[in-house]
Amino acid sequence: MKINSKIHGIIDYLIVLVLLILPSLLNLPEITAIFTYTLGGIHLLLTLLTNFEVGLLKVIPFKIHGWIELIVSIALIAVAFYLGTIEGEFSRNLYFILAAIVFFIWLITDYQRSTLSK
């Protein structure tokens, strides 16, 4: 069973909140913190601009939102290796976990239709 666009949007806002809290909560190294704050800001922007129930401006089709999240989940693996090289194992593992979470949410979401179209 796949989750609908409304549930996905709520999860998106929760992920943004987590990303913006993590650097302080975990006392992340500087570059990892910058990446995490940036990722949170970008994800917030994507969510606000998506055409679904919780989007504000509704300019990005929900299906495109899905493709962006898939690409981001793959890119986060490269970020994990980069951060692991410059800031250590904890940063690397954190970004592997973030990549897995974004991919999992992508995997369980029905991007073919937004509940707005019902």
Side-chain angles (χ1 to χ4, degrees):
M1 181 176 144
K2 298 241 181 186
I3 63 172
N4 65 34
S5 57
K6 185 175 184 179
I7 293 170
H8 180 97
I10 292 167
I11 292 169
D12 275 352
Y13 283 114
L14 290 173
I15 289 172
V16 167
L17 183 63
V18 167
L19 289 170
L20 296 178
I21 291 172
L22 273 180
S24 297
L25 184 68
L26 300 178
N27 196 27
L28 294 177
E30 182 180 6
I31 296 172
T32 302
I34 291 168
F35 268 95
T36 307
Y37 285 130
T38 303
L39 181 60
I42 290 168
H43 203 82
L44 177 61
L45 188 61
L46 174 64
T47 303
L48 290 171
L49 293 175
T50 297
N51 185 16
F52 62 164
E53 297 80 3
V54 298
L56 184 63
L57 297 178
K58 301 180 188 315
V59 294
I60 299 173
F62 187 54
K63 192 171 186 176
I64 300 300
H65 176 110
W67 284 110
I68 291 169
E69 286 186 339
L70 176 60
I71 292 165
V72 167
S73 72
I74 295 165
L76 290 178
I77 294 170
V79 172
F81 283 112
Y82 172 72
L83 292 175
T85 301
I86 63 170
E87 293 194 324
E89 186 177 307
F90 184 81
S91 293
R92 183 196 68 212
N93 293 343
L94 173 65
Y95 268 77
F96 280 145
I97 291 167
L98 291 174
I101 290 169
V102 173
F103 181 75
F104 178 73
I105 298 302
W106 175 82
L107 197 62
I108 65 168
T109 299
D110 181 3
Y111 290 102
Q112 298 309 311
R113 20 167 232 188
S114 166
T115 57
L116 281 181
S117 61
K118 291 182 180 177

